[in-house]
Amino acid sequence: MGDVLPGGSLRLSESLSVTRVGYGALQLAGPMAYGPPRDRDEALAVLRAVAEAGITHLDTSDYYGPYVVNELVREALHPYPDGLRIATKVGARRTAERGWPAAVSRPELVQAVHDNLDHLGLDVLDLVNLRMTDTLEAADIVEPFTVLAELREQGLIRNLGVSNVSAEQVEAARRIAPVVAVQNHYNVAFRQDDALVDRCAEQGIAFVPFWPLGGFRPLQAAELEKVAAGLDATPRQIALAWLLHRSPTMLLIPGTSTRAHLAENIAAASIGLSAETLHTLDAIAGHDR
């Protein structure tokens, strides 16, 4: 693995410590995370560059493709470098129409865990996130999370997380087994989970935002561009830098299918943001509503 990355690392449990700058592999599949990549050689090169850069948090799922991305990860990196930790997600499946329906029954979850193990070439998964779909009710997470907790007890999974969840679902899951990560939609402009971000920090739980760079409206994007110009950076880098400043337990998993964007994302962690700049960025979520 490479040198220590800017942004440092975060220990989530006795068995899981990862760099705060990670990599999300979703974009290595085709459009809408379905089918093969547009440039297979570049996809493999990106994954190798991730490891060479010293990134130790690789986020993937067997339903990216489906199967395609995990197979690319295995081809590019197996046998895996010491220290590399692979997080995966279960709880959904893919349809021929590129949909993402829920798949949270016991047989579906057990099969998903075994499929991830097989396609990644692993005996145990470092982190499995349960993705919830179409419900934020606490009661609805109990049965599927219990299944994953049982698989953890069987030694197939080391750590558990949750994704696309409410604060109430996080607490319901924690009553069943330790939760080391919450993966929800969050960025400088979409901040509905502000309270949950703070709660995760208090409890030592990682908050892992998906769509960290998406959904900005025109006025919001203009503010990002203004800040970026003053710091000789890109708006994308400023959005990532803000996330690292937002919480000490924030982990980044920006996705990209090119090595150039990967380098840009890593460099974002080196950008310092003054109190005045942070105030400007904090106000973005209230713009253009």
Side-chain angles (χ1 to χ4, degrees):
M1 306 295 287
D3 296 331
V4 176
L5 285 174
S9 62
L10 181 67
R11 179 166 293 281
L12 306 184
S13 72
E14 290 186 5
S15 64
L16 187 62
S17 179
V18 295
T19 50
R20 291 186 69 202
V21 176
Y23 173 71
L26 179 147
Q27 291 188 30
L28 294 184
M32 297 178 67
Y34 198 90
R38 177 184 58 81
D39 186 336
R40 191 173 186 279
D41 289 341
E42 180 66 8
L44 293 170
V46 167
L47 287 165
R48 292 178 182 127
V50 165
E52 291 165 2
I55 288 173
T56 63
H57 180 197
L58 196 163
D59 182 86
T60 184
S61 175
D62 220 37
Y63 57 67
Y64 295 165
Y67 317 127
V68 170
V69 171
N70 276 358
E71 290 171 348
L72 288 169
V73 169
R74 181 174 184 172
E75 180 177 347
L77 298 176
H78 195 279
Y80 298 111
D82 290 341
L84 180 67
R85 300 292 178 253
I86 298 177
T88 189
K89 274 188 293 296
V90 297
R93 60 182 176 83
R94 302 306 303 276
T95 67
E97 296 75 30
R98 304 188 181 187
W100 307 75
V104 294
S105 70
R106 176 177 291 272
E108 287 172 318
L109 291 172
V110 171
Q111 187 64 51
V113 166
H114 282 280
D115 285 347
N116 275 279
L117 288 167
D118 290 344
H119 289 124
L120 290 168
L122 292 168
D123 296 321
V124 57
L125 297 169
D126 292 308
L127 170 60
V128 174
N129 292 301
L130 172 64
R131 181 186 192 270
M132 297 300 292
T133 304
D134 303 328
T135 175
L136 296 175
E137 296 297 324
D140 293 332
I141 201 171
V142 172
E143 185 173 347
F145 198 76
T146 297
V147 174
L148 293 187
E150 291 171 0
L151 294 174
R152 176 176 172 267
E153 290 297 318
Q154 293 171 22
L156 297 179
I157 302 169
R158 291 194 178 97
N159 299 276
L160 296 174
V162 289
S163 177
N164 206 37
V165 292
S166 65
E168 293 74 21
Q169 287 177 327
V170 175
E171 292 308 310
R174 292 182 72 220
R175 288 192 287 270
I176 298 166
V179 172
V180 304
V182 174
Q183 191 175 112
N184 274 10
H185 182 188
Y186 186 80
N187 58 48
V188 68
F190 187 86
R191 298 182 57 176
Q192 294 184 16
D193 271 347
D194 265 342
L196 182 55
V197 169
D198 292 335
R199 187 179 303 177
C200 285
E202 293 169 0
Q203 297 170 339
I205 298 171
F207 191 95
V208 190
F210 62 77
W211 305 128
L213 302 168
F216 304 135
R217 300 185 180 96
L219 289 181
Q220 296 166 341
E223 289 290 339
L224 271 177
E225 289 171 3
K226 182 179 178 180
V227 171
L231 292 172
D232 193 26
T234 68
R236 177 189 184 98
Q237 288 178 311
I238 297 303
L240 292 174
W242 177 86
L243 284 167
L244 285 177
H245 281 76
R246 173 63 183 83
S247 167
T249 63
M250 190 78 71
L251 297 180
L252 303 186
I253 52 167
T256 179
S257 58
T258 71
R259 283 167 285 178
H261 269 154
L262 175 66
E264 180 182 295
N265 292 341
I266 293 171
S270 299
I271 298 173
L273 301 176
S274 68
E276 181 180 359
T277 300
L278 286 170
H279 179 74
T280 299
L281 293 171
D282 285 340
I284 284 179
H287 290 183
D288 198 25
R289 288 185 172 177

